[in-house]
Each structure stands twice: as structure tokens, then as C-alpha cells.
Amino acid sequence: MLTVNAYAATSATEPLAPATIDRRDVGPHDVRIEVKYCGICHSDIHYVRNEWYEVTYPVVPGHEIAGIVAEVGSEVTKHAVGDRVGVGCMVDSCGECVNCQKGEEQYCLKGNTLTYGSIGKDGRLTQGGYSTQIVVTEDFVLKIPQDIELDVAAPLLCAGITTYSPLHHWGAGPGKKVAVIGLGGLGHMAVKLAHAMGAEVTVLSQSLKKREDGLRLGADHYHATGDPDTFETLAGTFDLIVNTVSAKIDLDAYLSLLALDGTLVNVGAPAEPLSLSVFSLIMGRRSFAGSLIGGIRETQEMLDFCAEHHIGAEIELIPADKINDAYERVLASDVRYRFVIDTSTLS
Ligand SMILES: [Zn+2]
Ligand SMILES: [Zn+2]
């Protein structure tokens, strides 16, 4: 067992604080990673504040991990000491169900093992990337290409794949009109990726406050959803709309923006149920869908795509003692566009 420095939540209401946790010994198929950077995802905040499930404390969040391989088990073939690697939202799955067989481990029918807050196959509670080291089975370790710096690569492991997967699945590319609702951690990645795929990209944001950023990141158009004219002007326009906002939205209004056979896909999950008029779907053979991160194969494909197109996240690098401030700023939408923890400050 290896004792490592971390930052942990001890209850739903206390601020996160320095802690130590144990990592399992490196097994034959394991890789020990020296964590260099870890992104702060909005889910980390929901999780540590017990807003989603019953949480066992202490919990070390973090599932946007980038680092260097420090040790490999005797049977490991995919990674070597010194490799630049990443870990996202999952660290294991059953490997046998029909979805795992397809490489869609995020939809594992037996339930995959999340990077933190899950019970792993060793019977221990998993702990995430706000820590200096992590041990992960080799199949769930991704390669980070040389062309991406590790700090801007970290958020690709959740925000990147969460938006890449639906864009790829629904065919974003040349000749396709794609809209992105919300320009935050997920939204800014969706804009960069859809633009690199060759689609015509529109940002739909509450106001025009971040318009310059949106256009700089690759959007062709930028509209304020607070302006009722937007919905008239853009009616029937988009082949794909990616909704990155977790708040409740007027689904019928957004569905009316879809072209024939268009799809509105949710990657953010509002806490309350949404309602819609089925007519919004029937008129124009439209679809309303959801999408969860991506499988391991697709996550690697996304990282390679980002390297090829020189895409990283827009980040604000912080030391560990700023994590609690960063949480407040994420909740106030005061970040452009992802906080990343420099884990060398976890001493
Ligand atoms: Zn996340
Ligand atoms: Zn499975």
C-alpha cells in the first residue's frame, strides 16, 4: 500500500482539506501514475456535496487526470514508465457485457467503476485525481500525445470526451450545422471540437457576454437565447444541438430550432424531470437524446484528434489551496473555462 497526499471532502458541508489516502499495490495489470494535473469538473462539486447519491466520506474527487507513468505491473503491455497518460471518469468495467464488448464501457450493463466514489473489483472505494498518485488497470489508462501539454489535456478526459462523443456519433462535420447550448467547461470544448470536425458552429448562450470568446474558440455564429428573436430567426436550422447546460430549459423552444431529422442531445443533466410536447418531435422527425462521456477506444480517438488539431482546454491553473474558491467560482460561472489543479502543490 502506498500513502499519498490528496485533497478530500470529509462531509457535504465542510470545505475540502489536505488529507492522505492509500493507493493499492501495483498488481500485474496495473499502472501507477504520478498525477501532474487534475481538472475540476462540475460533477465533482455535485458529488462532494452529496447532491446526486449517498456519499461515503472522505471522498477525493477528480476525474480529469493527466500525469506520467511511474510504475507498471509485470503483465502490463500498453504503457511504460515515463509515458504521458490520462485517466477519465471510469477506471474499470465488467469487460464482458454486450456494451463493454462494443467498447462502450460507459454504458456497462453491470455498472462500471467510476474514478471516485465506486467500489472497485478489489472491494475498495475508489478515490480520484486530486492526489499525487493513482493506480489504475492498464486498459483504462489513455495515452496523451506529445502535441498536447498535460495541463490543457486534463479536462479533455471528461469535458472533451463528453462533447466529442455525441458530435462524432451524430455526424458533426462539413455541411452540418451544429449548435452548442451554453459556453462553459463542456460548451467551450464542444465549440472547439465541432469547429475542428468541419461543422458550422453556433453558440446559443443566455447573453452575448462571451461572444468574443465564442468566436475566437471557433464558433461561426453566436446568439443570445435571452432574446426572443433568436428562436424565430433560427427556427428549423440545426442538424444537431448539444445541450451542455444542466439547468431546466424550454425543450419545445429548442427542438423548434432543429432541421428535418435533427437531434437535440443532452450531456448536462438537470436534477428535475423535463417535459416536452411530442408534436415538437413529430414535426420534422426530430430526436431528443442523451449521451454519457465515451468509451475508452473513443476517448483515445478524441485525444489523438485533439493532438492532430492542436486542441486543448482553456484553463486556469490553480494550487490545491484554491480548490474551495474554485468551487464557488464554478458555481457562479466565473471561470474561462476550466480550473486545473497543479498537483505539485499537494504537499
Ligand atoms: Zn466530469
Ligand atoms: Zn460491462
PDB file of all heavy atoms in Angstrom, residues 145 148 156 164 167-168 172 189 192-198 298-312:
ATOM      1  N   PRO A 145      -1.003  12.293 -26.345  1.00  0.00           N
ATOM      2  CA  PRO A 145       0.026  12.529 -27.373  1.00  0.00           C
ATOM      3  C   PRO A 145       0.943  13.689 -27.003  1.00  0.00           C
ATOM      4  O   PRO A 145       0.543  14.602 -26.275  1.00  0.00           O
ATOM      5  CB  PRO A 145      -0.795  12.870 -28.629  1.00  0.00           C
ATOM      6  CG  PRO A 145      -2.175  12.369 -28.357  1.00  0.00           C
ATOM      7  CD  PRO A 145      -2.365  12.443 -26.871  1.00  0.00           C
ATOM      8  N   ILE A 148       0.059  17.670 -27.085  1.00  0.00           N
ATOM      9  CA  ILE A 148      -0.815  18.400 -26.150  1.00  0.00           C
ATOM     10  C   ILE A 148      -0.110  18.503 -24.801  1.00  0.00           C
ATOM     11  O   ILE A 148       0.359  17.499 -24.267  1.00  0.00           O
ATOM     12  CB  ILE A 148      -2.164  17.685 -25.891  1.00  0.00           C
ATOM     13  CG1 ILE A 148      -2.723  17.044 -27.158  1.00  0.00           C
ATOM     14  CG2 ILE A 148      -3.185  18.652 -25.299  1.00  0.00           C
ATOM     15  CD1 ILE A 148      -3.994  16.259 -26.924  1.00  0.00           C
ATOM     16  N   LEU A 156      -9.711  17.303 -21.122  1.00  0.00           N
ATOM     17  CA  LEU A 156     -10.222  16.521 -22.253  1.00  0.00           C
ATOM     18  C   LEU A 156     -10.790  15.193 -21.768  1.00  0.00           C
ATOM     19  O   LEU A 156     -11.674  14.624 -22.397  1.00  0.00           O
ATOM     20  CB  LEU A 156      -9.107  16.267 -23.275  1.00  0.00           C
ATOM     21  CG  LEU A 156      -8.447  17.509 -23.889  1.00  0.00           C
ATOM     22  CD1 LEU A 156      -7.333  17.099 -24.844  1.00  0.00           C
ATOM     23  CD2 LEU A 156      -9.491  18.363 -24.618  1.00  0.00           C
ATOM     24  N   TYR A 164     -17.156  15.327 -27.429  1.00  0.00           N
ATOM     25  CA  TYR A 164     -16.683  14.677 -28.665  1.00  0.00           C
ATOM     26  C   TYR A 164     -17.614  13.521 -29.050  1.00  0.00           C
ATOM     27  O   TYR A 164     -17.969  13.363 -30.232  1.00  0.00           O
ATOM     28  CB  TYR A 164     -15.266  14.144 -28.458  1.00  0.00           C
ATOM     29  CG  TYR A 164     -14.676  13.413 -29.644  1.00  0.00           C
ATOM     30  CD1 TYR A 164     -13.920  14.090 -30.599  1.00  0.00           C
ATOM     31  CD2 TYR A 164     -14.871  12.039 -29.816  1.00  0.00           C
ATOM     32  CE1 TYR A 164     -13.379  13.424 -31.690  1.00  0.00           C
ATOM     33  CE2 TYR A 164     -14.330  11.364 -30.899  1.00  0.00           C
ATOM     34  CZ  TYR A 164     -13.586  12.051 -31.833  1.00  0.00           C
ATOM     35  OH  TYR A 164     -13.055  11.378 -32.914  1.00  0.00           O
ATOM     36  N   LEU A 167     -20.899  14.541 -30.740  1.00  0.00           N
ATOM     37  CA  LEU A 167     -20.599  15.204 -32.018  1.00  0.00           C
ATOM     38  C   LEU A 167     -20.227  14.150 -33.059  1.00  0.00           C
ATOM     39  O   LEU A 167     -20.684  14.177 -34.199  1.00  0.00           O
ATOM     40  CB  LEU A 167     -19.441  16.198 -31.850  1.00  0.00           C
ATOM     41  CG  LEU A 167     -19.773  17.475 -31.071  1.00  0.00           C
ATOM     42  CD1 LEU A 167     -18.490  18.228 -30.711  1.00  0.00           C
ATOM     43  CD2 LEU A 167     -20.717  18.378 -31.876  1.00  0.00           C
ATOM     44  N   HIS A 168     -19.405  13.211 -32.640  1.00  0.00           N
ATOM     45  CA  HIS A 168     -18.955  12.150 -33.523  1.00  0.00           C
ATOM     46  C   HIS A 168     -20.114  11.220 -33.870  1.00  0.00           C
ATOM     47  O   HIS A 168     -20.357  10.900 -35.033  1.00  0.00           O
ATOM     48  CB  HIS A 168     -17.831  11.400 -32.789  1.00  0.00           C
ATOM     49  CG  HIS A 168     -17.149  10.385 -33.622  1.00  0.00           C
ATOM     50  ND1 HIS A 168     -17.066   9.070 -33.252  1.00  0.00           N
ATOM     51  CD2 HIS A 168     -16.525  10.485 -34.814  1.00  0.00           C
ATOM     52  CE1 HIS A 168     -16.417   8.409 -34.193  1.00  0.00           C
ATOM     53  NE2 HIS A 168     -16.074   9.242 -35.137  1.00  0.00           N
ATOM     54  N   ALA A 172     -21.262  15.254 -36.739  1.00  0.00           N
ATOM     55  CA  ALA A 172     -20.842  16.644 -36.942  1.00  0.00           C
ATOM     56  C   ALA A 172     -19.690  16.651 -37.945  1.00  0.00           C
ATOM     57  O   ALA A 172     -18.762  15.857 -37.827  1.00  0.00           O
ATOM     58  CB  ALA A 172     -20.385  17.260 -35.618  1.00  0.00           C
ATOM     59  N   MET A 189     -15.477  23.250 -25.078  1.00  0.00           N
ATOM     60  CA  MET A 189     -14.864  22.107 -25.770  1.00  0.00           C
ATOM     61  C   MET A 189     -15.711  21.704 -26.975  1.00  0.00           C
ATOM     62  O   MET A 189     -15.181  21.378 -28.038  1.00  0.00           O
ATOM     63  CB  MET A 189     -14.730  20.905 -24.811  1.00  0.00           C
ATOM     64  CG  MET A 189     -13.620  21.006 -23.791  1.00  0.00           C
ATOM     65  SD  MET A 189     -11.985  21.478 -24.428  1.00  0.00           S
ATOM     66  CE  MET A 189     -11.790  20.388 -25.837  1.00  0.00           C
ATOM     67  N   LYS A 192     -14.899  24.032 -29.883  1.00  0.00           N
ATOM     68  CA  LYS A 192     -13.596  23.745 -30.494  1.00  0.00           C
ATOM     69  C   LYS A 192     -13.642  22.466 -31.328  1.00  0.00           C
ATOM     70  O   LYS A 192     -13.108  22.413 -32.436  1.00  0.00           O
ATOM     71  CB  LYS A 192     -12.536  23.558 -29.397  1.00  0.00           C
ATOM     72  CG  LYS A 192     -12.085  24.839 -28.726  1.00  0.00           C
ATOM     73  CD  LYS A 192     -10.879  24.539 -27.829  1.00  0.00           C
ATOM     74  CE  LYS A 192     -10.301  25.818 -27.262  1.00  0.00           C
ATOM     75  NZ  LYS A 192      -8.909  25.650 -26.821  1.00  0.00           N
ATOM     76  N   LEU A 193     -14.260  21.428 -30.765  1.00  0.00           N
ATOM     77  CA  LEU A 193     -14.265  20.125 -31.437  1.00  0.00           C
ATOM     78  C   LEU A 193     -15.138  20.154 -32.690  1.00  0.00           C
ATOM     79  O   LEU A 193     -14.727  19.678 -33.750  1.00  0.00           O
ATOM     80  CB  LEU A 193     -14.754  19.038 -30.460  1.00  0.00           C
ATOM     81  CG  LEU A 193     -13.791  18.741 -29.307  1.00  0.00           C
ATOM     82  CD1 LEU A 193     -14.486  17.936 -28.214  1.00  0.00           C
ATOM     83  CD2 LEU A 193     -12.558  17.982 -29.815  1.00  0.00           C
ATOM     84  N   ALA A 194     -16.347  20.736 -32.573  1.00  0.00           N
ATOM     85  CA  ALA A 194     -17.258  20.767 -33.727  1.00  0.00           C
ATOM     86  C   ALA A 194     -16.632  21.587 -34.855  1.00  0.00           C
ATOM     87  O   ALA A 194     -16.730  21.233 -36.036  1.00  0.00           O
ATOM     88  CB  ALA A 194     -18.605  21.358 -33.308  1.00  0.00           C
ATOM     89  N   HIS A 195     -15.947  22.673 -34.488  1.00  0.00           N
ATOM     90  CA  HIS A 195     -15.272  23.502 -35.492  1.00  0.00           C
ATOM     91  C   HIS A 195     -14.167  22.689 -36.176  1.00  0.00           C
ATOM     92  O   HIS A 195     -14.047  22.692 -37.407  1.00  0.00           O
ATOM     93  CB  HIS A 195     -14.696  24.751 -34.815  1.00  0.00           C
ATOM     94  CG  HIS A 195     -13.849  25.587 -35.713  1.00  0.00           C
ATOM     95  ND1 HIS A 195     -14.375  26.301 -36.771  1.00  0.00           N
ATOM     96  CD2 HIS A 195     -12.505  25.798 -35.741  1.00  0.00           C
ATOM     97  CE1 HIS A 195     -13.382  26.930 -37.403  1.00  0.00           C
ATOM     98  NE2 HIS A 195     -12.252  26.641 -36.803  1.00  0.00           N
ATOM     99  N   ALA A 196     -13.375  21.964 -35.379  1.00  0.00           N
ATOM    100  CA  ALA A 196     -12.281  21.166 -35.956  1.00  0.00           C
ATOM    101  C   ALA A 196     -12.815  20.037 -36.829  1.00  0.00           C
ATOM    102  O   ALA A 196     -12.161  19.613 -37.781  1.00  0.00           O
ATOM    103  CB  ALA A 196     -11.404  20.599 -34.841  1.00  0.00           C
ATOM    104  N   MET A 197     -14.015  19.546 -36.528  1.00  0.00           N
ATOM    105  CA  MET A 197     -14.621  18.487 -37.348  1.00  0.00           C
ATOM    106  C   MET A 197     -15.148  19.047 -38.673  1.00  0.00           C
ATOM    107  O   MET A 197     -15.541  18.290 -39.557  1.00  0.00           O
ATOM    108  CB  MET A 197     -15.781  17.817 -36.581  1.00  0.00           C
ATOM    109  CG  MET A 197     -15.322  16.950 -35.417  1.00  0.00           C
ATOM    110  SD  MET A 197     -16.749  16.394 -34.431  1.00  0.00           S
ATOM    111  CE  MET A 197     -15.899  15.488 -33.118  1.00  0.00           C
ATOM    112  N   GLY A 198     -15.214  20.362 -38.767  1.00  0.00           N
ATOM    113  CA  GLY A 198     -15.627  20.979 -40.033  1.00  0.00           C
ATOM    114  C   GLY A 198     -17.069  21.442 -40.070  1.00  0.00           C
ATOM    115  O   GLY A 198     -17.564  21.866 -41.120  1.00  0.00           O
ATOM    116  N   GLU A 298     -12.922   5.324 -27.851  1.00  0.00           N
ATOM    117  CA  GLU A 298     -13.311   6.629 -28.392  1.00  0.00           C
ATOM    118  C   GLU A 298     -12.582   7.776 -27.670  1.00  0.00           C
ATOM    119  O   GLU A 298     -12.276   8.801 -28.280  1.00  0.00           O
ATOM    120  CB  GLU A 298     -14.837   6.808 -28.264  1.00  0.00           C
ATOM    121  CG  GLU A 298     -15.347   7.996 -29.053  1.00  0.00           C
ATOM    122  CD  GLU A 298     -16.859   8.145 -28.997  1.00  0.00           C
ATOM    123  OE1 GLU A 298     -17.472   7.827 -27.959  1.00  0.00           O
ATOM    124  OE2 GLU A 298     -17.436   8.591 -30.001  1.00  0.00           O
ATOM    125  N   THR A 299     -12.291   7.588 -26.392  1.00  0.00           N
ATOM    126  CA  THR A 299     -11.556   8.616 -25.646  1.00  0.00           C
ATOM    127  C   THR A 299     -10.143   8.759 -26.213  1.00  0.00           C
ATOM    128  O   THR A 299      -9.623   9.866 -26.371  1.00  0.00           O
ATOM    129  CB  THR A 299     -11.513   8.272 -24.139  1.00  0.00           C
ATOM    130  OG1 THR A 299     -12.860   8.089 -23.683  1.00  0.00           O
ATOM    131  CG2 THR A 299     -10.872   9.384 -23.334  1.00  0.00           C
ATOM    132  N   GLN A 300      -9.525   7.623 -26.556  1.00  0.00           N
ATOM    133  CA  GLN A 300      -8.196   7.684 -27.176  1.00  0.00           C
ATOM    134  C   GLN A 300      -8.269   8.374 -28.536  1.00  0.00           C
ATOM    135  O   GLN A 300      -7.425   9.210 -28.870  1.00  0.00           O
ATOM    136  CB  GLN A 300      -7.605   6.267 -27.322  1.00  0.00           C
ATOM    137  CG  GLN A 300      -6.151   6.279 -27.759  1.00  0.00           C
ATOM    138  CD  GLN A 300      -5.261   7.003 -26.750  1.00  0.00           C
ATOM    139  OE1 GLN A 300      -5.196   6.628 -25.592  1.00  0.00           O
ATOM    140  NE2 GLN A 300      -4.590   8.073 -27.183  1.00  0.00           N
ATOM    141  N   GLU A 301      -9.322   8.041 -29.287  1.00  0.00           N
ATOM    142  CA  GLU A 301      -9.529   8.661 -30.606  1.00  0.00           C
ATOM    143  C   GLU A 301      -9.673  10.186 -30.450  1.00  0.00           C
ATOM    144  O   GLU A 301      -9.105  10.960 -31.214  1.00  0.00           O
ATOM    145  CB  GLU A 301     -10.812   8.049 -31.182  1.00  0.00           C
ATOM    146  CG  GLU A 301     -11.210   8.474 -32.554  1.00  0.00           C
ATOM    147  CD  GLU A 301     -12.587   7.857 -32.875  1.00  0.00           C
ATOM    148  OE1 GLU A 301     -12.725   6.613 -32.849  1.00  0.00           O
ATOM    149  OE2 GLU A 301     -13.526   8.634 -33.127  1.00  0.00           O
ATOM    150  N   MET A 302     -10.411  10.602 -29.417  1.00  0.00           N
ATOM    151  CA  MET A 302     -10.603  12.037 -29.151  1.00  0.00           C
ATOM    152  C   MET A 302      -9.261  12.702 -28.831  1.00  0.00           C
ATOM    153  O   MET A 302      -8.957  13.793 -29.337  1.00  0.00           O
ATOM    154  CB  MET A 302     -11.589  12.188 -27.991  1.00  0.00           C
ATOM    155  CG  MET A 302     -11.871  13.591 -27.491  1.00  0.00           C
ATOM    156  SD  MET A 302     -10.714  14.222 -26.235  1.00  0.00           S
ATOM    157  CE  MET A 302     -10.751  12.945 -24.997  1.00  0.00           C
ATOM    158  N   LEU A 303      -8.432  12.051 -27.986  1.00  0.00           N
ATOM    159  CA  LEU A 303      -7.134  12.641 -27.635  1.00  0.00           C
ATOM    160  C   LEU A 303      -6.246  12.772 -28.876  1.00  0.00           C
ATOM    161  O   LEU A 303      -5.574  13.786 -29.073  1.00  0.00           O
ATOM    162  CB  LEU A 303      -6.436  11.791 -26.561  1.00  0.00           C
ATOM    163  CG  LEU A 303      -7.061  11.860 -25.158  1.00  0.00           C
ATOM    164  CD1 LEU A 303      -6.501  10.751 -24.264  1.00  0.00           C
ATOM    165  CD2 LEU A 303      -6.811  13.223 -24.515  1.00  0.00           C
ATOM    166  N   ASP A 304      -6.266  11.750 -29.721  1.00  0.00           N
ATOM    167  CA  ASP A 304      -5.462  11.799 -30.954  1.00  0.00           C
ATOM    168  C   ASP A 304      -5.982  12.901 -31.887  1.00  0.00           C
ATOM    169  O   ASP A 304      -5.203  13.612 -32.515  1.00  0.00           O
ATOM    170  CB  ASP A 304      -5.477  10.436 -31.652  1.00  0.00           C
ATOM    171  CG  ASP A 304      -4.816   9.354 -30.795  1.00  0.00           C
ATOM    172  OD1 ASP A 304      -4.065   9.702 -29.858  1.00  0.00           O
ATOM    173  OD2 ASP A 304      -5.066   8.155 -31.046  1.00  0.00           O
ATOM    174  N   PHE A 305      -7.317  13.033 -31.951  1.00  0.00           N
ATOM    175  CA  PHE A 305      -7.929  14.088 -32.768  1.00  0.00           C
ATOM    176  C   PHE A 305      -7.508  15.470 -32.253  1.00  0.00           C
ATOM    177  O   PHE A 305      -7.151  16.358 -33.030  1.00  0.00           O
ATOM    178  CB  PHE A 305      -9.458  13.940 -32.712  1.00  0.00           C
ATOM    179  CG  PHE A 305     -10.217  14.991 -33.482  1.00  0.00           C
ATOM    180  CD1 PHE A 305     -10.505  14.828 -34.834  1.00  0.00           C
ATOM    181  CD2 PHE A 305     -10.656  16.151 -32.844  1.00  0.00           C
ATOM    182  CE1 PHE A 305     -11.200  15.805 -35.538  1.00  0.00           C
ATOM    183  CE2 PHE A 305     -11.359  17.131 -33.548  1.00  0.00           C
ATOM    184  CZ  PHE A 305     -11.635  16.952 -34.898  1.00  0.00           C
ATOM    185  N   CYS A 306      -7.529  15.634 -30.941  1.00  0.00           N
ATOM    186  CA  CYS A 306      -7.147  16.918 -30.336  1.00  0.00           C
ATOM    187  C   CYS A 306      -5.672  17.236 -30.630  1.00  0.00           C
ATOM    188  O   CYS A 306      -5.325  18.388 -30.903  1.00  0.00           O
ATOM    189  CB  CYS A 306      -7.400  16.908 -28.832  1.00  0.00           C
ATOM    190  SG  CYS A 306      -9.147  17.022 -28.437  1.00  0.00           S
ATOM    191  N   ALA A 307      -4.820  16.226 -30.579  1.00  0.00           N
ATOM    192  CA  ALA A 307      -3.399  16.448 -30.868  1.00  0.00           C
ATOM    193  C   ALA A 307      -3.233  16.891 -32.322  1.00  0.00           C
ATOM    194  O   ALA A 307      -2.527  17.855 -32.620  1.00  0.00           O
ATOM    195  CB  ALA A 307      -2.604  15.177 -30.591  1.00  0.00           C
ATOM    196  N   GLU A 308      -3.928  16.191 -33.194  1.00  0.00           N
ATOM    197  CA  GLU A 308      -3.835  16.496 -34.627  1.00  0.00           C
ATOM    198  C   GLU A 308      -4.300  17.923 -34.925  1.00  0.00           C
ATOM    199  O   GLU A 308      -3.759  18.598 -35.788  1.00  0.00           O
ATOM    200  CB  GLU A 308      -4.707  15.477 -35.367  1.00  0.00           C
ATOM    201  CG  GLU A 308      -4.565  15.458 -36.859  1.00  0.00           C
ATOM    202  CD  GLU A 308      -5.607  14.509 -37.477  1.00  0.00           C
ATOM    203  OE1 GLU A 308      -5.893  13.441 -36.863  1.00  0.00           O
ATOM    204  OE2 GLU A 308      -6.152  14.853 -38.528  1.00  0.00           O
ATOM    205  N   HIS A 309      -5.316  18.368 -34.198  1.00  0.00           N
ATOM    206  CA  HIS A 309      -5.892  19.705 -34.451  1.00  0.00           C
ATOM    207  C   HIS A 309      -5.428  20.744 -33.427  1.00  0.00           C
ATOM    208  O   HIS A 309      -5.993  21.835 -33.377  1.00  0.00           O
ATOM    209  CB  HIS A 309      -7.418  19.610 -34.474  1.00  0.00           C
ATOM    210  CG  HIS A 309      -7.933  18.808 -35.630  1.00  0.00           C
ATOM    211  ND1 HIS A 309      -8.245  19.374 -36.840  1.00  0.00           N
ATOM    212  CD2 HIS A 309      -8.148  17.477 -35.762  1.00  0.00           C
ATOM    213  CE1 HIS A 309      -8.640  18.418 -37.676  1.00  0.00           C
ATOM    214  NE2 HIS A 309      -8.598  17.257 -37.043  1.00  0.00           N
ATOM    215  N   HIS A 310      -4.433  20.396 -32.634  1.00  0.00           N
ATOM    216  CA  HIS A 310      -3.866  21.324 -31.627  1.00  0.00           C
ATOM    217  C   HIS A 310      -4.950  21.894 -30.713  1.00  0.00           C
ATOM    218  O   HIS A 310      -5.062  23.103 -30.523  1.00  0.00           O
ATOM    219  CB  HIS A 310      -3.083  22.448 -32.318  1.00  0.00           C
ATOM    220  CG  HIS A 310      -2.059  21.914 -33.261  1.00  0.00           C
ATOM    221  ND1 HIS A 310      -0.904  21.301 -32.814  1.00  0.00           N
ATOM    222  CD2 HIS A 310      -2.028  21.830 -34.613  1.00  0.00           C
ATOM    223  CE1 HIS A 310      -0.206  20.879 -33.867  1.00  0.00           C
ATOM    224  NE2 HIS A 310      -0.866  21.183 -34.961  1.00  0.00           N
ATOM    225  N   ILE A 311      -5.755  21.004 -30.179  1.00  0.00           N
ATOM    226  CA  ILE A 311      -6.844  21.418 -29.297  1.00  0.00           C
ATOM    227  C   ILE A 311      -6.544  21.013 -27.864  1.00  0.00           C
ATOM    228  O   ILE A 311      -6.251  19.852 -27.580  1.00  0.00           O
ATOM    229  CB  ILE A 311      -8.181  20.760 -29.731  1.00  0.00           C
ATOM    230  CG1 ILE A 311      -8.614  21.299 -31.101  1.00  0.00           C
ATOM    231  CG2 ILE A 311      -9.275  20.996 -28.687  1.00  0.00           C
ATOM    232  CD1 ILE A 311      -9.834  20.584 -31.656  1.00  0.00           C
ATOM    233  N   GLY A 312      -6.611  21.990 -26.968  1.00  0.00           N
ATOM    234  CA  GLY A 312      -6.597  21.709 -25.537  1.00  0.00           C
ATOM    235  C   GLY A 312      -7.725  22.516 -24.921  1.00  0.00           C
ATOM    236  O   GLY A 312      -8.372  23.313 -25.607  1.00  0.00           O
TER     237      GLY A 312
END
